[in-house]
């Protein structure tokens, strides 16, 4: 974990203890083998009978594959958008009912 990330998580931890509110935070963990994992941690404070915070409970889920998939989808979407707009060939995205959902500039110049 990087120093800035550790500071951010410690600040969140303090705030949650003071406020007593549930939390959700995405962060990264470096494993012993050196690999970096993206995780999502959710939790809440537990109050005792007197109302004081007595514990925190929650879960940490490895979302590395989800983050990698999101990045790949964003790259693919950007590549498609660039190809769609920059090609000199007229192109359109057409719905099943034959409604034109989107057309590129080259198609607009043809009409």
């Amino acid at each position: 974990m990087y120093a800035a990330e550790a500071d951010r998580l410690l600040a969140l931890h303090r705030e949650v203890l003071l406020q007593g509110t549930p939390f959700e935070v995405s962060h990264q963990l470096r494993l012993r083998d050196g690999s970096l994992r993206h995780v999502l941690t959710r939790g809440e404070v537990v109050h005792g009978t007197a109302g004081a915070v007595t514990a925190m409970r929650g879960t940490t889920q490895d979302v590395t594959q989800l983050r990698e998939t999101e990045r790949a989808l964003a790259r693919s979407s950007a590549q498609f958008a660039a190809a769609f707009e920059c090609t000199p060939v007229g192109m359109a995205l057409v719905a099943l009912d034959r409604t034109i959902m989107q057309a590129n500039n080259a198609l607009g110049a043809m009409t």
Side-chain angles (χ1 to χ4, degrees), residues 48-100:
T49 56
V53 174
T54 58
M56 292 180 75
R57 65 178 166 215
T59 61
T60 298
Q61 180 180 7
D62 185 343
V63 293
T64 304
Q65 187 63 47
L66 175 63
R67 296 294 179 258
E68 290 170 356
T69 301
E70 288 171 342
R71 281 194 299 271
L73 179 60
R75 270 193 313 273
S76 177
S77 181
Q79 288 172 340
F80 175 78
F84 185 83
E85 287 303 320
C86 295
T87 187
V89 176
M91 294 174 60
L93 298 178
V94 181
L96 292 175
D97 66 358
R98 298 185 180 161
T99 302
I100 295 177

Side-chain angles (χ1 to χ4, degrees), residues 1 3 6 18 20 27 34 37 41 47 56-57 59-60 72-73 82 85 90 103 105:
M1 186 180 316
L18 288 173
H27 56 102
R37 307 305 291 177
T41 300
H47 298 275
M56 292 180 75
R57 65 178 166 215
T59 61
T60 298
L73 179 60
E85 287 303 320
N105 290 334

Side-chain angles (χ1 to χ4, degrees), residues 1-10 27-31 34-38:
M1 186 180 316
Y2 301 103
E5 182 120 317
D7 290 343
R8 179 177 71 93
L9 293 174
L10 284 172
H27 56 102
Q28 297 177 334
L29 295 176
R30 178 140 335 255
L31 302 182
S35 64
L36 190 64
R37 307 305 291 177
H38 296 269

